[in-house]
């Protein structure tokens, strides 16, 4: 058989789980061995240098040249002793991938001798040139230089390149010659700093000892696995990361028997293997399980400080891809690789913690702490309510478009789930209209605030259909795409909460200056906030049609199109917000918008081309051959006088013809639409055309192709089928 599909299937079916051995007997013996972490620094640096570095990590203070030289030296010796030959500034450009440019540690002296070299200046700053990374107009060619700068808040680590030794990777920011951000990390660090400032100030109303608030993130990463041979037999997976055609298998996810089921041996070996590698890099991977869809899985690390967590997620994704190769698997992070079954998200569990050890979103048994909890909770809800569209913009991408607002996915409405107990507590808060305090009265008892924690402890409410759900001691933003860098969302979430908390403080200060009692003033403001934003609270089924109607009645946005969602970034309100919290200036936001639009256009363009190519060169040609076979059969039947028996065959031939005509005309019209769109100069308009006029053909063509898949002889069908890809041993 010359059919690539059958060759691939034969290879895939013969594969076995690989044996995997732990790097050492106990996890503590290999956890973090490949990171230049605080412990290593303490042992290698002078006490002064170590102190300076830890201060810089905690407060973002400056590191002077001498200290940098000392750290660079220690880093170099540590890395070389462990087999490193090169170093690189490791950063996250707006392409969505991670980037690195390796430089050798050795240099040649004037006498031609090789010398190991890595100075503090090389640690602190690099000029990778990298002029072909997207800058959205921030860099003109005459000042095309981009600089990377060390982020001491995220430990340097060693990456094994397979052949050719190891590379010391130094987590870095990436900025332009003029100091503007070209990456995700730069504005993220600023947003986290803004949150720290505002949240700490609000904490001080409750506890003077709090001097720092750290935002925390625990990203649950969903993904699919496909056998490598099958992957390469599907040009759409190779080019676009998703299948553009494929009929649903008889057994999809309707039985939900895959969820938390026994992990297939090949997959288990892969998971254990990448988890070992992750742990060596200090990534605290903790849980693994099957997801709802067949061949879908999840990995969830323990939460960490947001910046570190995002670096770790990016690194983990890279690692998973590398380790998968070894196991002859391919990881799909795409938000919707297969139609008809669940897509993949990256659930962002987010909270805020103080340097006194308090999780600000954890209810407490003490009434006073309960009021603090309510203060942070309501301020978060208010921030999400007031900036729902901007939050929606952060999850807009070509891939996530199939997951949000498409015909078989949750709608793109931002709502918040709090659970019955908390909602009731807030209702009570709102409805206790006038509270006056007599001597001896206790505001907490009067408001029932003292009851909340006791009730919450047994509160097991979970809502898997809410995009932004309170889950007991944190919020879970579930709409982030599986392939996305969470930084986009974290930049906005932390910025809007920082901004909101700052407003709250201004308001509270005003009232306190006017002589109001603190607790009463706080309660009064929260009451007001709750009134203003309660329409965003929703406890029901977020995937239902009723919710779409109800949300429209409530006046909540439901922005389905990616270009429309992205445009929110550059609305005056958004630009002002980013400026106000000191996260991005207008130019930086505008450049990001341009880049996202361009990414969207390119992705849809690739998909459109893949659809055209597969439809014409694989599907149509196969269908014609099959039609020919059928015609010969029919003719043979007629020749021997079985005219009637030839009729059903002729029906099939007719159906194939009708579908072929539809496919051909669909592809032609789509190609024409693409040509028209490509001549439009304006990127926003081009993206709009791709989102509508071009994408409109995707479903239409797919429908016909998937029908042909059911008609044409299995032996002839060229593309690996869903049922063959989705069930791994
Ligand atoms: P479950 O939701 O299954 O009960 P957990 O609550 O332990 O499990 O954690 C779910 C996810 O939430 C994990 O990825 C975890 O890292 C994350 N998480 C837990 N606490 C926090 C927190 N304070 N901040 C951010 N993420 C958190
Ligand atoms: Mg999950």
């Amino acid at each position: 058989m010359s059919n690539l599909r059958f060759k691939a299937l034969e290879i895939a079916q013969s594969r076995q789980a690989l044996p995997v051995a732990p790097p050492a007997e106990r996890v503590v013996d290999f956890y973090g061995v490949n990171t230049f972490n605080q412990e290593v620094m303490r042992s290698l640096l002078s006490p002064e240098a170590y102190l300076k570095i830890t201060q810089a990590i905690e407060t973002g203070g400056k590191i002077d040249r001498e200290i940098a030289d000392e750290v660079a030296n220690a880093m170099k010796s540590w890395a070389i002793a462990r087999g490193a030959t090169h170093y690189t500034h490791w950063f996250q450009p707006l392409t969505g991938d991670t980037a690195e440019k390796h430089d050798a540690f050795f240099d040649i002296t004037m006498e031609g001798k090789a010398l190991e070299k890595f100075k503090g200046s090389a640690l602190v700053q690099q000029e990778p040139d990298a002029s072909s990374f997207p800058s959205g107009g921030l860099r003109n060619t005459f000042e095309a230089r981009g600089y990377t700068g060390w982020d001491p808040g995220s430990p340097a680590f060693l990456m094994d390149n397979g052949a050719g030794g190891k590379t010391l990777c130094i987590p870095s920011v990436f900025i332009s010659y003029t100091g503007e951000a070209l990456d995700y990390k730069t504005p993220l660090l600023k947003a986290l700093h803004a949150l720290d400032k505002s949240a700490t100030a609000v904490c001080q109303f409750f506890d003077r000892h709090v001097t720092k608030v750290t935002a925390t993130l625990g990203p649950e990463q969903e993904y699919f696995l496909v056998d490598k041979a099958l992957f390469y037999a599907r040009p759409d997976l190779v080019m676009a990361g998703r299948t553009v055609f494929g009929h649903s298998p008889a057994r999809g996810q309707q039985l939900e028997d895959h969820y938390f089921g026994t992990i297939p041996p090949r997959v288990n070996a892969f998971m254990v293997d990448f988890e070992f590698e992750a742990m060596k890099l200090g990534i605290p991977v903790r849980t693994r399980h099957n997801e709802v869809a067949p061949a879908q899985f999840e990995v969830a690390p323990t939460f960490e400080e947001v910046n570190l967590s995002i670096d770790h997620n990016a690194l983990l994704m890279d690692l998973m891809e590398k380790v998968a190769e070894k196991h002859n698997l391919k990881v799909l992070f795409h938000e919707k690789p297969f139609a008809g079954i669940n897509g993949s998200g990256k659930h962002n569990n987010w909270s805020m913690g103080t340097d006194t050890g308090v999780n600000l979103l954890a209810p407490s048994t003490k009434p006073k702490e309960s009021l603090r909890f309510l203060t942070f909770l309501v301020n978060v809800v208010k921030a999400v309510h007031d900036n729902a569209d901007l939050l929606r913009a952060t999850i807009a991408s070509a891939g996530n478009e199939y997951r949000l607002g498409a015909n078989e996915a949750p709608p793109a409405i931002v709502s918040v789930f709090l659970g019955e107990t908390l909602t009731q507590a807030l209702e009570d808060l709102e409805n206790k209209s006038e509270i006056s305090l007599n001597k001896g009265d206790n505001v907490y008892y009067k408001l029932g605030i003292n009851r909340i924690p006791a009730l919450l402890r047994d509160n097991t409410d979970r809502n898997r259909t809410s995009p932004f759900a309170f889950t007991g001691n944190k919020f879970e933003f579930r709409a982030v795409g599986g392939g996305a860098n969470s930084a986009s969302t974290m930049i906005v979430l932390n910025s809007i909460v920082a901004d909101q908390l700052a407003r709250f403080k201004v308001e509270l200060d005003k009232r306190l200056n006017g002589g109001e009692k603190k607790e009463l003033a706080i309660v009064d403001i929260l009451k007001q906030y709750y009134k203003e934003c309660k329409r965003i609270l929703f406890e029901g089924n977020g995937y239902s049609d009723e919710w779409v109607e109800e949300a429209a009645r409530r006046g909540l946005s439901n922005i389905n199109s990616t270009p429309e969602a992205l445009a929110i970034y550059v609305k005056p309100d958004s630009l002002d917000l980013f400026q106000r919290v000191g996260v991005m200036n207008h130019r930086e936001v505008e450049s990001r918008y341009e880049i996202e639009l361009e990414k969207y256009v390119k992705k849809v363009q690739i998909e459109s081309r893949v659809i055209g190519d597969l439809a014409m060169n694989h599907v149509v040609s196969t269908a014609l051959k099959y039609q020919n076979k059928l015609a010969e059969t029919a003719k043979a039947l007629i020749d021997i006088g079985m005219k009637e028996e030839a009729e059903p065959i002729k029906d099939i031939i007719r159906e194939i013809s009708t579908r072929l005509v539809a496919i051909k005309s669909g592809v032609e019209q789509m190609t024409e639409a693409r040509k028209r769109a490509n001549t439009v100069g304006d990127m926003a308009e081009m993206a709009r055309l791709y989102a509508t006029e071009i994408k409109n053909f995707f479903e239409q063509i797919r429908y016909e192709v998937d029908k042909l898949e059911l008609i044409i002889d299995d032996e002839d069908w060229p593309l690996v089928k869903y049922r063959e890809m989705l069930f791994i041993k």
Side-chain angles (χ1 to χ4, degrees):
M1 242 171 286
S2 67
N3 190 322
L4 178 59
R5 170 175 152 231
F6 289 100
K7 278 191 195 144
L9 279 171
E10 215 170 286
I11 296 170
Q13 266 148 22
S14 69
R15 300 216 223 254
Q16 302 287 331
L18 290 188
V20 178
E25 217 167 281
R26 297 174 335 158
V27 173
V28 288
D29 292 332
F30 62 87
Y31 190 83
V33 290
N34 286 344
T35 61
F36 191 76
N37 55 26
Q38 294 222 355
E39 223 172 286
V40 177
M41 284 198 265
R42 186 162 37 217
S43 68
L44 296 181
L45 298 176
S46 66
E48 301 79 56
Y50 177 69
L51 195 71
K52 277 267 172 63
I53 284 292
T54 32
Q55 271 171 0
I57 292 171
E58 265 145 38
T59 60
K62 245 180 104 91
I63 296 164
D64 57 43
R65 201 43 161 271
E66 256 166 64
I67 303 286
D69 277 337
E70 189 181 330
V71 177
N73 231 328
M75 232 186 235
K76 183 187 71 183
S77 323
W78 174 84
I80 289 174
R82 281 159 186 75
T85 54
H86 289 66
Y87 65 92
T88 178
H89 275 204
W90 180 82
F91 55 101
Q92 296 159 45
L94 296 168
T95 49
D97 300 315
T98 58
E100 44 197 80
K101 173 183 167 244
H102 300 187
D103 282 303
F105 273 122
F106 79 85
D107 213 345
I108 307 293
T109 62
M110 298 264 276
E111 297 81 39
K113 261 173 54 184
L115 190 75
E116 280 167 355
K117 194 179 113 184
F118 180 55
K119 280 215 191 121
S121 51
L123 166 67
V124 173
Q125 195 180 81
Q126 286 277 297
E127 189 189 327
D129 180 18
S131 43
S132 45
F133 283 118
S135 79
L138 278 184
R139 285 184 293 166
N140 298 316
T141 34
F142 62 88
E143 50 173 41
R145 278 175 294 180
Y147 290 92
T148 52
W150 177 36
D151 165 23
S154 182
F157 55 90
L158 285 176
M159 262 308 223
D160 203 329
N161 308 322
K166 294 177 184 162
T167 299
L168 171 69
C169 299
I170 302 158
S172 303
V173 295
F174 182 39
I175 54 174
S176 75
Y177 180 64
T178 49
E180 280 156 327
L182 298 171
D183 66 348
Y184 288 112
K185 195 191 263 280
T186 307
L188 177 68
L189 290 172
K190 290 178 177 170
L192 293 170
H193 177 69
L195 181 84
D196 172 19
K197 237 176 65 191
S198 305
T200 301
V202 171
C203 279
Q204 297 251 331
F205 288 115
F206 301 93
D207 178 0
R208 290 252 151 235
H209 295 105
V210 174
T211 61
K212 186 176 169 65
V213 171
T214 305
T216 50
L217 170 65
E220 298 167 41
Q221 176 74 56
E222 294 176 336
Y223 60 95
F224 280 83
L225 287 175
V226 171
D227 182 274
K228 192 154 104 184
L230 302 181
F231 174 88
Y232 283 112
R234 289 282 317 210
D236 46 358
L237 278 183
V238 177
M239 307 283 184
R242 65 178 276 262
T243 55
V244 296
F245 304 138
H247 204 280
S248 308
R251 189 181 125 202
Q253 65 185 47
Q254 62 275 66
L255 297 176
E256 302 224 338
D257 52 353
H258 187 253
Y259 190 54
F260 281 29
T262 312
I263 299 172
R266 274 185 75 195
V267 175
N268 193 63
F270 160 69
M271 287 176 169
V272 172
D273 205 0
F274 86 70
E275 284 170 13
F276 285 148
E277 292 306 314
M279 284 190 268
K280 285 199 243 168
L281 286 166
I283 305 172
V285 283
R286 204 176 51 112
T287 62
R288 58 167 102 116
H289 62 76
N290 288 359
E291 260 302 330
V292 175
Q296 193 189 24
F297 307 91
E298 179 183 298
V299 53
T302 305
F303 68 94
E304 299 176 281
E305 185 274 323
V306 174
N307 173 44
L308 188 58
S309 172
I310 284 180
D311 280 0
H312 277 167
N313 179 250
L315 192 50
L316 184 64
M317 288 167 82
D318 284 353
L319 260 186
M320 286 166 74
E321 283 174 344
K322 269 189 198 159
V323 174
E325 286 290 326
K326 211 167 94 187
H327 292 259
N328 293 307
L329 293 166
K330 279 283 176 182
V331 191
L332 310 180
F333 290 116
H334 194 285
E335 285 78 11
K336 192 78 180 177
F338 302 99
I341 55 178
N342 283 8
S344 294
K346 177 150 32 209
H347 300 174
N348 278 217
N349 293 279
W350 171 88
S351 189
M352 296 165 277
T354 67
D355 55 350
T356 54
V358 174
N359 176 352
L360 292 168
L361 292 176
S364 156
T365 47
K366 297 192 188 104
K368 192 174 173 193
E369 292 176 358
S370 257
L371 187 60
R372 178 181 59 198
F373 161 69
L374 279 184
T375 300
F376 280 92
L377 182 91
V378 173
N379 271 288
V380 171
V381 176
K382 171 101 165 98
V384 171
H385 171 271
D386 291 357
N387 302 280
D389 287 355
L390 190 53
L391 213 45
R392 163 68 182 97
T394 69
I395 49 168
S397 71
N400 220 14
E401 198 170 51
Y402 293 103
R403 213 175 133 248
L404 299 175
N407 47 3
E408 52 174 75
I413 305 165
V414 176
S415 66
V416 178
F417 169 86
L418 290 182
E420 211 178 305
T421 316
L422 268 183
T423 310
Q424 191 54 50
L426 292 176
E427 279 294 312
D428 290 350
L429 190 76
E430 185 190 1
N431 296 326
K432 300 250 163 78
S433 46
E434 281 301 311
I435 305 169
S436 58
L437 283 188
N438 299 315
K439 211 169 175 232
D441 276 358
N442 184 322
V443 66
Y444 305 109
Y445 282 91
K446 278 205 116 159
L447 284 168
I449 287 176
N450 63 315
R451 291 202 319 266
I452 299 169
L455 287 168
L456 260 186
R457 245 177 302 147
D458 315 315
N459 178 358
T460 49
D461 275 17
R462 281 285 151 112
N463 185 327
R464 306 192 125 262
T465 64
S466 174
F468 201 92
F470 184 71
T471 54
N473 58 0
K474 62 192 177 285
F475 276 100
E476 182 176 2
F477 188 39
R478 307 173 73 248
V480 181
N485 186 323
S486 292
S488 295
T489 288
M490 282 296 128
I491 290 166
V492 166
L493 182 58
N494 289 288
S495 294
I496 62 179
V497 173
D499 190 51
Q500 175 51 42
L501 288 169
R503 284 163 193 267
F504 172 80
K505 180 176 164 11
V506 169
E507 167 96 28
L508 183 54
D509 279 336
K510 204 166 75 193
R511 285 168 180 252
L512 296 184
N513 288 336
E516 284 184 45
K517 187 172 161 37
K518 187 161 77 181
E519 281 78 7
L520 287 180
I522 292 175
V523 165
D524 210 44
I525 299 172
L526 297 185
K527 228 158 104 169
Q528 185 60 34
Y529 284 174
Y530 177 64
K531 236 183 249 161
E532 284 163 21
C533 64
K534 65 194 279 189
R535 64 174 184 156
I536 203 168
L537 299 179
F538 181 64
E539 308 283 298
N541 179 4
Y543 292 6
S544 67
D545 295 337
E546 293 78 51
W547 170 230
V548 175
E549 288 160 27
E550 163 77 16
R553 272 196 297 278
R554 292 188 190 186
L556 300 176
S557 307
N558 183 4
I559 307 166
N560 286 327
S561 124
T562 300
E564 254 176 71
L566 291 173
I568 294 153
Y569 269 116
V570 289
K571 283 195 167 173
D573 281 355
S574 314
L575 293 173
D576 290 350
L577 172 104
F578 286 122
Q579 182 97 40
R580 197 162 59 235
V581 287
V583 169
M584 284 186 274
N585 65 28
H586 293 192
R587 260 163 56 89
E588 287 174 301
V589 183
E590 277 154 7
S591 76
R592 231 150 264 253
Y593 170 56
E594 283 288 315
I595 291 166
E596 289 301 328
L597 280 178
E598 199 178 324
K599 269 202 290 202
Y600 177 79
V601 166
K602 282 185 181 157
K603 292 241 163 101
V604 181
Q605 192 174 57
I606 291 171
E607 281 185 22
S608 168
R609 287 191 184 139
V610 170
I611 289 172
D613 172 44
L614 282 188
M616 298 310 291
N617 300 324
H618 289 66
V619 176
V620 169
S621 54
T622 305
L624 285 173
K625 268 184 232 153
Y626 185 58
Q627 214 179 18
N628 221 20
K629 261 203 238 172
L630 291 178
E632 276 166 27
T633 312
K635 189 164 178 290
L637 285 174
I638 294 167
D639 283 352
I640 57 170
M642 297 174 74
K643 226 174 145 220
E644 235 166 82
E645 285 79 354
E647 277 314 310
I649 300 177
K650 280 160 76 181
D651 285 345
I652 301 176
I653 295 175
R654 264 182 226 111
E655 182 179 347
I656 294 176
S657 284
T658 319
R659 300 207 183 280
L660 285 180
V661 170
I663 291 171
K664 188 162 173 292
S665 104
V667 170
E668 278 165 7
Q669 290 178 62
M670 179 175 72
T671 311
E672 280 310 310
R674 216 164 60 218
K675 277 187 193 151
R676 278 197 304 275
N678 292 346
T679 60
V680 173
D682 178 50
M683 194 50 88
E685 175 58 9
M686 201 197 277
R688 191 190 67 78
L689 289 174
Y690 268 95
T692 53
E693 295 194 1
I694 291 151
K695 269 193 94 167
N696 282 345
F697 290 104
F698 288 15
E699 272 306 302
Q700 193 184 316
I701 297 169
R702 176 176 196 137
Y703 177 81
E704 305 293 343
V705 170
D706 289 358
K707 287 283 180 207
L708 284 180
E709 183 184 324
L710 291 184
I711 299 173
I712 289 170
D713 189 348
D714 188 58
E715 295 278 309
D716 296 332
W717 192 252
L719 296 168
V720 182
K721 295 188 172 180
Y722 270 28
R723 65 173 142 84
E724 294 158 342
M725 266 183 290
L726 287 172
F727 300 92
I728 306 178
K729 277 190 293 182

